[in-house]
């Protein structure tokens, strides 16, 4: 009788041991990442291992999820119906889609913006990135699983695309075409660019101006030109007609420049921003455009103000333009404490985020 009890006890101990070993062998990776005390160093968050200082250092395992998402988000190809389904879903859940486009040379700018806005309520969930190639999309999606990413598959747009060059015009043509698809789907967009700093969420102010507007926009400092990098686009009949004509003009320019080298210069009067402004002055399609206050939404001229003027201003966002070249943009942002991606560590610079000021 006593021996039977011992055998039973040993059997129970054996079953518990086998169950415990099996659990840790087959435990899902997503659980490991959501419970840090189970995570070994080789499974540490991948942005501890990534640096933006060279393309090879952005190579990451895009199957790993290190957020509160339950499964890996896939990058969807931009020319598929699935991409439109994704956008419709974002719009249905949020009533607005924050849209921007980047290539590989702008990946660290996108990372800096994501670091900047990570603590903003529900901003990443509303954000859609269009990347010019699949690898850039996968890198971005792996870093920031809460944003949505669709990708083109053209290698043509890799590297720095300088303003008023053929490569830049072609890139803006692709962006214009994609936006038209979204507007024709009935989606309201806030077009923005990632070479900027958000001091607070611009959405309350922007959305407050939309009731009597097809488009809410900002102006370029010192010019009778509308800034092409920050626009709220209501999918009204007037907006769609307006954007169809803008796309037609960009397509014509695209064809005209198709035999040119991408580094060849283009007249500053030939780009989406100038075409947009010309159509706006004509009130093409009966378009109604409302302008945001320039003091709250300044462009890169803000960086040229005196220290006193900058302290007296109350910007909501600051666009880092009026400077050529990614290196110059990056350095200026760092100088003013507006760069939030730690290049050497490959992660957000928490100190810069904490001390964000103007």
């Amino acid at each position: 009788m006593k021996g039977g009890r011992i055998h039973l006890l040993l059997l129970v101990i054996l079953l518990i041991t086998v169950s415990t070993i099996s659990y840790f062998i087959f435990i899902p990776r997503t659980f490991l990442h959501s419970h840090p005390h189970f995570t070994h160093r080789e499974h540490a968050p991948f942005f501890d291992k990534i640096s933006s200082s060279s393309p090879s250092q952005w190579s990451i395992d895009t199957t790993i999820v290190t957020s509160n998402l339950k499964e890996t988000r896939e990058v969807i190809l931009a020319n598929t119906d699935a991409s439109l389904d994704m956008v419709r879903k974002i719009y249905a859940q949020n009533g607005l889609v924050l849209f921007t486009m980047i290539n590989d040379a702008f990946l660290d700018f996108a990372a800096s913006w994501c670091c900047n806005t990570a603590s903003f309520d529900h901003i990443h969930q509303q954000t859609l990135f269009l990347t010019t190639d699949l690898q850039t999309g996968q890198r971005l999606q792996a870093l920031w699983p809460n944003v949505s990413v669709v990708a083109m598959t053209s290698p043509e747009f890799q590297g720095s695309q300088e303003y008023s060059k053929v490569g830049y015009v072609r890139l803006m043509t692709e962006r214009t075409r994609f936006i038209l698809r979204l507007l024709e789907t009935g989606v309201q967009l806030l077009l923005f660019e990632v070479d900027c700093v958000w001091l607070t969420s611009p959405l309350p102010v922007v959305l407050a101006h939309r009731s009597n507007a097809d488009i809410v926009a900002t102006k370029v400092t010192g010019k009778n030109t509308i800034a092409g990098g920050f626009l709220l686009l209501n999918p009204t009949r007037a907006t769609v007609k307006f954007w169809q004509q803008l796309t037609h003009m960009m397509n014509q320019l695209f064809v005209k420049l198709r035999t040119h080298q991408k580094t060849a210069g283009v007249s500053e009067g030939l780009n989406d921003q100038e075409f947009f402004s010309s159509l706006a002055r004509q009130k093409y399609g009966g378009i109604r455009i409302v302008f945001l206050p320039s003091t709250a939404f300044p462009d890169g001229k803000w960086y040229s103000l005196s220290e006193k003027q900058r302290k007296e201003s109350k910007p909501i966002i600051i666009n880092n333009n009026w400077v050529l070249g990614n290196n110059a943009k990056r350095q200026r942002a760092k100088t003013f404490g507006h760069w939030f991606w730690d290049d050497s560590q490959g992660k957000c610079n928490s100190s810069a985020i904490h001390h964000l000021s103007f």
Side-chain angles (χ1 to χ4, degrees):
M1 189 73 174
K2 183 177 180 181
R5 291 180 178 177
I6 292 174
H7 287 157
L8 180 60
L9 179 61
L10 289 175
L11 180 61
V12 170
I13 293 172
L14 179 62
L15 289 174
I16 292 173
T17 302
V18 171
S19 298
T20 302
I21 292 172
S22 299
Y23 177 78
F24 281 100
I25 289 176
F26 297 105
I27 183 172
R29 177 172 286 184
T30 52
F31 181 84
L32 285 172
H33 285 292
S34 63
H35 294 73
H37 53 283
F38 283 116
T39 307
H40 299 294
R41 182 59 196 167
E42 61 268 27
H43 293 139
F46 47 74
F47 31 97
D48 284 341
K49 306 176 185 178
I50 303 168
S51 170
S52 62
S53 58
S54 69
S56 62
Q57 290 176 299
W58 283 90
S59 299
I60 54 182
D61 180 1
T62 57
T63 64
I64 299 175
V65 177
T66 58
S67 76
N68 57 358
L69 293 183
K70 294 183 179 180
E71 57 184 15
T72 303
R73 297 279 293 278
E74 291 185 3
V75 175
I76 297 175
L77 296 183
N79 61 348
T80 63
D81 290 339
S83 67
L84 295 181
D85 290 340
M86 172 192 282
V87 176
R88 291 189 189 100
K89 183 177 180 180
I90 299 171
Y91 184 55
Q93 292 175 345
N94 303 283
L96 179 68
V97 177
L98 310 182
F99 172 76
T100 191
M101 180 182 189
I102 66 164
N103 69 351
D104 60 324
F106 244 56
L107 183 54
D108 59 344
F109 284 86
S112 181
W113 180 84
C114 286
C115 292
N116 174 194
T117 57
S119 64
F120 290 20
D121 185 36
H122 217 59
I123 289 296
H124 285 195
Q125 287 80 1
Q126 299 179 69
T127 300
L128 173 69
F129 281 91
L130 171 63
T131 65
T132 59
D133 64 277
L134 183 59
Q135 186 179 38
T136 298
Q138 290 172 333
R139 291 167 176 169
L140 179 65
Q141 186 72 88
L143 276 171
W144 298 101
N146 286 329
V147 305
S148 298
V149 181
V150 297
M152 299 163 53
T153 56
S154 174
E156 177 185 356
F157 304 110
Q158 293 182 340
S160 297
Q161 303 292 335
E162 188 175 332
Y163 183 75
S164 289
K165 300 292 185 181
V166 169
Y168 176 83
V169 170
R170 289 174 178 165
L171 189 64
M172 291 300 98
T173 301
E174 293 294 343
R175 187 178 78 171
T176 304
R177 290 169 177 169
F178 191 78
I179 290 173
L180 178 59
R181 291 181 65 203
L182 302 187
L183 290 174
E184 289 178 337
T185 305
V187 173
Q188 182 174 238
L189 302 174
L190 176 62
L191 169 64
F192 72 98
E193 294 177 348
V194 292
D195 54 341
C196 63
V197 58
W198 286 24
L199 300 165
T200 187
S201 172
L203 298 190
V205 174
V206 173
L207 296 178
H209 285 75
R210 68 178 169 176
S211 58
N212 296 314
D214 300 299
I215 297 175
V216 179
T218 60
K219 287 188 176 181
V220 177
T221 300
K223 291 188 175 184
N224 187 24
T225 303
I226 298 173
F230 193 82
L231 299 167
L232 178 72
L233 303 172
N234 274 326
T236 62
R237 182 178 300 178
T239 300
V240 172
K241 184 176 181 179
F242 182 97
W243 209 267
Q244 287 172 338
Q245 180 61 18
L246 176 62
T247 305
H248 173 68
M249 296 170 73
M250 291 297 291
N251 284 338
Q252 286 186 317
L253 180 59
F254 185 93
V255 171
K256 181 179 178 181
L257 299 174
R258 64 184 172 185
T259 60
H260 293 61
Q261 295 292 324
K262 70 177 185 178
T263 56
V266 180
S267 168
E268 288 199 21
L270 298 176
N271 58 53
D272 59 318
Q273 183 169 275
E274 293 296 331
F275 291 165
F276 184 101
S277 299
S278 175
L279 292 173
R281 287 191 288 270
Q282 300 171 38
K283 296 185 178 180
Y284 186 89
I287 200 75
R288 301 169 302 162
I289 300 178
V290 171
F291 292 98
L292 296 165
S294 59
T295 52
F297 296 85
D299 57 25
K301 290 292 186 180
W302 181 91
Y303 291 101
S304 300
L305 298 176
S306 67
E307 183 177 358
K308 179 182 178 182
Q309 289 173 316
R310 289 197 303 271
K311 286 183 177 180
E312 290 175 348
S313 67
K314 300 295 181 183
I316 294 173
I317 71 169
I318 305 168
N319 288 295
N320 189 3
N321 49 20
W322 284 101
V323 61
L324 291 178
N326 290 358
N327 289 335
K329 285 176 179 283
R330 192 180 293 108
Q331 186 55 52
R332 183 163 73 175
K334 289 180 179 180
T335 298
F336 283 85
H338 294 164
W339 186 261
F340 310 102
W341 179 248
D342 189 322
D343 303 314
S344 61
Q345 298 295 320
K347 61 183 180 180
C348 294
N349 185 333
S350 57
S351 177
I353 296 169
H354 179 72
H355 292 98
L356 176 60
S357 64
F358 50 91

